[in-house]
Amino acid sequence: MADFSKDFRIAYDDARDACTIRFRCFDTPNSVTVFGGVGKGADVEGVLLEVRRMCLEFHRLWSFSLPASDIARINEPRERVQVDMRTALLISSMKLFHETEPAFDFTVGPVSYVWKHAECVPSEAQMEEALSHVGAGKVSVAGDVIEKSDPLVQVDIGGAAKGFVADSVAAYLRSAGVASADIDLGGNLFMVGEHPAGRPWRVSVRVPEGVSAKPPIVEVRNQSVVTSGSYERFVEIDGKRYQHIVDARTGRPSDSDIVSATVACASSLQADMLATSTLLAGSKGFVALKSRHPEARFIAITADGAILE
């Protein structure tokens, strides 16, 4: 059996008839647990090692910091770049989603960069310059070629990438004969099949620290559960915290009153993008957002502890 690296751990739990691989990727800890073994002719350790190999391959394709990655090459000042078909599909999916949810703009990269590296609150001139290079309509996809009408456009796949990977891992596990599995890619969950006990999976939604609310429970079968929170990452400037999700419409970090958004649906990619969209929508736009996506279940928690469903 191939050993891709020593940076992982495989453990068996005989009491639960489970096998788990834990590894680090996408700058987060990840784990995948298979219950009840795999299909005929397959080796559970081999299947889990293949899952890790897939994740590392996606990381190499989409890392912002690796110069040869597709995302790094797209974000160079150029008009045209050939990419892996999976990258093209990710960009196409985000473009299509943007048509329904314009607030979700994957070209927010220039603005995100300004805030991420700011030592003081960016000036209006800085924001205007960055915003002039934002706009999903400036990016087109033709086969495996990404074209930018503005060479300085930069894509930000943070609100979709792990969802795409989770869907890919779930599809691979099903093809390998796995009937029940728990995929956790840095908090992007995909619960394959049903719980080994023959019931739905029960996922407890994390409540942000300092918010007084009882943790909601989501029950799913063969669905993804994704939570995005404004409390998770932030930039601190002059003692004030600014959340990491930047609103492409304003050029500023989102000031939404929703601090945690959880979405459950059959596609982890869809759930990932919808969770980000929920944070951007805030409580004022929550009902309208829900109505546009009846395929998903939404749970949002506001700063004052209100739970919206």
Side-chain angles (χ1 to χ4, degrees):
M1 181 167 26
D3 180 6
F4 300 109
S5 158
K6 296 183 188 257
D7 185 24
F8 68 88
R9 184 164 64 90
I10 292 179
Y12 285 89
D13 183 342
D14 293 336
R16 297 193 302 161
D17 189 19
C19 186
T20 300
I21 188 168
R22 291 184 171 84
F23 59 95
R24 191 166 182 85
C25 190
F26 317 119
D27 297 321
T28 65
N30 308 273
S31 68
V32 178
T33 301
V34 168
F35 297 88
V38 294
K40 185 176 180 181
D43 162 33
V44 67
E45 288 193 21
V47 166
L48 290 175
L49 284 171
E50 174 61 15
V51 165
R52 181 175 180 274
R53 187 203 66 76
M54 290 171 61
C55 290
L56 292 176
E57 185 175 4
F58 277 115
H59 175 77
R60 287 189 292 269
L61 271 179
W62 295 344
S63 171
F64 289 93
S65 59
L66 295 177
S69 78
D70 279 357
I71 299 306
R73 292 187 304 113
I74 290 171
N75 286 345
E76 291 175 353
R78 59 170 73 188
E79 295 180 350
R80 188 175 187 275
V81 58
Q82 188 172 23
V83 297
D84 186 280
M85 279 302 300
R86 290 164 293 185
T87 305
L89 180 56
L90 175 65
I91 301 295
S92 294
S93 298
M94 291 190 293
K95 271 186 68 68
L96 183 62
F97 184 81
H98 173 76
E99 292 177 8
T100 303
E101 301 301 335
F104 182 93
D105 194 327
F106 61 94
T107 65
V108 74
V111 178
S112 298
Y113 182 88
V114 170
W115 280 96
K116 191 179 295 183
H117 297 87
E119 295 183 358
C120 60
V121 176
S123 67
E124 289 298 321
Q126 283 179 295
M127 286 295 90
E128 286 180 12
E129 167 60 20
L131 282 170
S132 72
H133 305 298
V134 172
K138 299 177 188 238
V139 177
S140 61
V141 183
D144 63 351
V145 174
I146 308 296
E147 294 187 352
K148 302 187 298 183
S149 60
D150 176 354
L152 296 184
V153 166
Q154 294 186 342
V155 301
D156 185 339
I157 61 172
K162 283 196 295 183
F164 188 106
V165 177
D167 284 337
S168 300
V169 170
Y172 167 70
L173 290 179
R174 293 191 197 101
S175 73
V178 173
S180 180
D182 176 350
I183 301 167
D184 182 351
L185 302 183
N188 277 57
L189 308 181
F190 201 117
M191 319 310 290
V192 176
E194 66 179 7
H195 190 276
R199 58 167 173 80
W201 297 93
R202 297 181 185 129
V203 178
S204 177
V205 176
R206 179 184 172 189
V207 175
E209 186 177 347
V211 176
S212 179
K214 182 179 178 181
I217 302 294
V218 181
E219 291 194 347
V220 296
R221 282 185 172 92
N222 214 33
Q223 285 191 321
S224 178
V225 180
V226 176
T227 297
S228 184
S230 60
Y231 58 89
E232 294 174 320
R233 288 180 288 149
F234 52 86
V235 174
E236 187 168 321
I237 302 174
D238 296 332
K240 182 177 178 180
R241 289 184 177 184
Y242 296 87
Q243 66 158 288
H244 71 287
I245 296 177
V246 177
D247 192 329
R249 298 166 296 185
T250 65
R252 299 184 59 81
S254 172
D255 61 357
S256 166
D257 59 339
I258 290 178
V259 293
S260 174
T262 297
V263 179
C265 65
S267 164
S268 193
L269 172 59
Q270 185 80 348
D272 208 352
M273 295 187 292
L274 284 172
T276 299
S277 299
T278 303
L279 289 179
L280 289 167
S283 59
K284 291 182 179 178
F286 182 73
V287 173
L289 176 66
K290 272 185 58 180
S291 68
R292 291 192 294 271
H293 300 278
E295 76 282 4
R297 179 183 175 187
F298 294 77
I299 297 176
I301 302 175
T302 64
D304 60 6
I307 296 178
L308 311 177
E309 293 191 62

